[in-house]
Amino acid sequence: MSAMGKAGAALLCAILLCAALAHPICRALGISPDPGPDVDASLSRHHPLGTDDLGRDLLARMMHGGQRTLPAGLAAVSLAALLGILLGGTCALRGGRLDAMACLGIDLWMAFPALLMALFLAACLSGPADGTGRRIAILVLAVGLVDLPRFFRQARAAVAAELPREYVAASRALGCGGVRLLFARILPNCAGPLVALATLGLGTSILEIAGLGFLGLGVPPGTPEWGSDLNDYRQSFLTRPWVLAAAGTPIALSVLAFNLLGDSIREGRGHPR
Amino acid sequence: MTRFALARLALALPAALGATLVVFLLARAVPGDPARAIAGERASPEALARIRTRLGLDRPLAVQYLLFLRGLATGDLASTQTGRPVRSEFVSHAGVTVELALCALAWSCLAGVALGLAAIRGGAVDFASRTVALAGVSMPVFWTGYCLLTMKAALGLDLLPSHGRSTLDIPPDLATPFFLLEGALRGHLGWTLDCLRHLLLPALALGTVPLAIVCRMQRAALRDAGSSDYLRTARAKGLSERAVWTRHALKNAAVPVVTAAGTTAGYLLGGAVLTETVFGLPGLGRRLVDAIAARDYPVLQGFVLGSALVFIAVNVATDLACAALDPRLRDALSNRKRGAPA
């Protein structure tokens, strides 16, 4: 792995650890993402990044927000990858009318700008009384569906390139077919580009989920989430600039880490930047 | 070229029709009763039945689709929030969004090409261009916008407005929704300059991702061109290194850059929603956000469809531009196979 890839992996590990251990870290520091008495506090030893207008510690909200944004991004990419690889691989294997219809459908789906379609889906599926779980599920579904075409096209091309190889003919001669041929034989031989695409896709999905949260389609008010917090705090950026850093830096660093890692994986597969 | 252009336009028509079908089916597939969404939770069954009859929801699905197409074409599809036809709402709000997207694309392409050219030398400049590209795709556009506003306030740059489209009294009954164009055509350059002043910061924010994409594409294309035979021939003929790159390599490296610029259209349309929210621009994005809050589904459908049609048109323009730059691509684009890696 290149030096940039290692840096990305290290950064990602640090972010994941902070998110996973948010509760014990906040307890050790004596800070909380919940409303408290110190309203609009500036940077201090007790509140390293200050508090908001409800007394909620910004560092605590930053760490707890990662517990929603990061898993949501991972779930969205997983959904897109699973459906895209299954559909694309099957179309490459079967060919014919199924392949033609699926490609036509994917081409139509790609005619829509991704964020706008995700916004449309999220707006249509969500309601004002939805809880955090349902809101996050809707975000995952919306972002996963708009990211599906990239995995479909990559999987279809990768599987189609493998089909003329001897091991595929040998597997078929031994009676291996369908899903088993696809997942047990072909995909392991062409997983590299798909892994690189998934890693890069994690950064894109986090940006999309944060963007939808910023537009008010994320978690309910009060629940820590990176995009929603940026929306909540936008009135205070000019008077308290460090709030801007607290709200947006986690998103930028996460996406940067995934991009560094994805680029490193892609370079390792022979696709120079 | 004319035959290629006509064939490409002919391919775009079924795509546009397909987009209307996708939006129609999605709207029908969404859970919930559209009539109840309009009339409210306490509406009587008679009121719901009247709304369903008015909207054609009691007709077969194929008839509903035809009514939907007719509504789009005649302007009958109306906003439940303002009562105005969705088509006229789209046109009136599209002006500032298109101006914002074009400004963002223009500066990002110029800067991206310049950075890509400078990066050929390698070393610190190459490292700087890769860093700029990486930072551009990593930062959320709404965060970049707020960072610019904070920097503007800190540096005291009061000449750059932080919100709105114009501070001048521009009449609302212009022929087009494009203030930049109207100012130039009517001799009111003050309008054009004022609108450009308002678009500067939003365009800077929105253009960071296209800058990264164009810079990366240009750098890769020039690097590939650097080892090609035609450049070796140009050097053997005695051309200066500057002439080799600007007169020969740049034109051949322009095709991937034009393609990259075209593919960012989807990002620009989506990013404009976020940028307009940050800078208070009265464009499609702001109207869409208001429609989401008010559950104005006709506007949601119309704007998403309109954006898809704009995206399809930009893809057609990109293909035509690439074919004009490199005639060898006309056959390749005509016979393009589906399923090329993203």
Side-chain angles (χ1 to χ4, degrees), chain B residues 82-132:
Chain B
T82 63
R84 287 179 61 199
V86 170
R87 196 175 57 179
S88 64
E89 288 238 20
F90 185 87
V91 169
S92 64
H93 286 92
V96 66
T97 302
V98 170
E99 288 174 347
L100 172 62
L102 286 175
C103 288
L105 192 63
W107 90 260
S108 63
C109 283
L110 287 171
V113 168
L115 267 176
L117 263 173
I120 300 167
R121 293 180 201 148
V125 178
D126 184 33
F127 181 75
S129 78
R130 287 169 69 173
T131 306
V132 163

Side-chain angles (χ1 to χ4, degrees), chain A residues 103 107-108 110-113 115-116 119 123-124 126 153 156-157 230 234 237 244 248 256 259-260 263 266 273, chain B residues 18-19 23 30 130 134 137-138 142-143 146 150 216 219 223 266 270 273 277 288 292 295 307-308 311 338-339:
Chain A
C103 287
D107 282 349
L108 282 177
M110 290 182 76
F112 294 89
L115 185 65
L116 285 182
L119 200 147
C124 291
S126 62
R153 296 178 88 182
R156 186 178 173 278
L230 237 163
R234 53 181 163 161
F237 289 155
L244 181 67
L256 178 67
N259 282 338
L260 287 173
D263 278 348
R266 198 165 56 180
R273 292 161 67 193
Chain B
V23 168
V30 161
R130 287 169 69 173
L134 209 50
V137 294
S138 301
F142 45 96
W143 191 54
Y146 284 122
T150 308
R216 184 179 277 201
R219 189 174 157 273
R223 195 175 51 205
V273 175
T277 304
L288 206 56
I292 289 167
R295 302 285 159 184
S307 303
F311 192 32
R338 294 197 186 95

Side-chain angles (χ1 to χ4, degrees), chain B residues 4-75:
Chain B
F4 172 79
L6 288 172
R8 191 62 187 88
L9 283 167
L11 276 177
L13 289 175
L17 207 59
T20 62
L21 184 62
V22 169
V23 168
F24 171 77
L25 290 175
L26 274 178
R28 292 297 178 272
V30 161
D33 184 1
R36 194 171 290 281
I38 294 168
E41 288 299 321
R42 296 183 183 180
S44 64
E46 293 78 22
L48 291 174
R50 271 199 305 276
I51 292 172
R52 288 194 188 104
T53 304
R54 181 167 60 87
L55 297 177
L57 297 175
D58 52 349
R59 313 280 284 274
L61 205 61
V63 175
Q64 289 185 41
Y65 176 57
L66 292 174
L67 289 174
F68 174 66
L69 286 179
R70 192 184 71 178
L72 286 174
T74 59

